[in-house]
Amino acid sequence: MPSTRDLLQRFRPAGAPGAATATGVPADRSDERASELAGVFALLESTVAEAERIRDDATAQAQQRRDRSRKQGLATVAQARLDAEVLRTQTVAQARDAIAVARRQTSEAAEQRGQEIEHEAVQTRNQDVILIVAAVRDLVVGPDQLEDPS
């Protein structure tokens, strides 16, 4: 460590402007400054090494987290694709079931309507037969000659 006198020599006044003299020319003290700061830098070496170690650890942890997040993201996407396929299959099955129920209901409704139409046709046919038989009887027998069956 330099002495106080050596430190103060650095700030020694140079002479007034004019001819250069031996005492007025500043000395090259770069070596002195380097040796003066060498002790401080030596004390900082462990701190610098610790900072580098911390930075390296942080970089490694960040890379591990990125890798873990990337793997987790890929797993999440893969699971989502599987879930989507299962959901798609379930939706198709539900749609098919709904279509089958609708088809069955439509078929049953059509069957019911067909039976109603057939029943109406039978009633209409019976009424038409009665009217036709009455009309033929009137033509053959006449309206005034109808006998009372009792």
Side-chain angles (χ1 to χ4, degrees):
M1 193 82 183
S3 68
T4 306
R5 181 170 189 247
D6 292 336
L7 287 174
L8 292 177
Q9 279 295 335
R10 202 177 325 159
F11 301 108
R12 182 180 77 199
T21 63
T23 58
V25 177
D28 183 14
R29 303 216 191 271
S30 59
D31 289 338
E32 289 178 13
R33 284 185 222 135
S35 65
E36 180 180 316
L37 294 175
V40 174
F41 289 138
L43 292 174
L44 289 176
E45 282 182 17
S46 64
T47 305
V48 169
E50 179 70 15
E52 287 177 3
R53 187 190 61 75
I54 291 171
R55 185 175 42 249
D56 292 344
D57 288 348
T59 302
Q61 286 179 2
Q63 185 61 41
Q64 289 173 353
R65 287 179 182 169
R66 277 192 295 272
D67 292 344
R68 191 169 44 245
S69 295
R70 186 176 298 118
K71 288 177 185 176
Q72 185 179 10
L74 291 174
T76 300
V77 168
Q79 185 62 45
R81 286 184 177 146
L82 289 175
D83 292 347
E85 186 60 35
V86 168
L87 185 60
R88 193 175 301 119
T89 303
Q90 289 174 347
T91 302
V92 168
Q94 289 173 353
R96 285 182 181 159
D97 291 346
I99 290 169
V101 167
R103 185 181 305 143
R104 190 170 43 251
Q105 289 174 344
T106 303
S107 178
E108 289 171 0
E111 183 69 30
Q112 179 69 28
R113 182 64 183 138
Q115 289 174 358
E116 290 172 2
I117 290 172
E118 187 177 340
H119 181 68
E120 290 172 5
V122 167
Q123 287 180 344
T124 304
R125 187 177 52 227
N126 289 341
Q127 290 173 356
D128 289 345
V129 168
I130 292 171
L131 290 174
I132 291 171
V133 168
V136 169
R137 191 179 299 151
D138 286 344
L139 287 175
V140 173
V141 177
D144 296 334
Q145 298 177 0
L146 288 177
E147 296 179 12
D148 192 15
S150 44

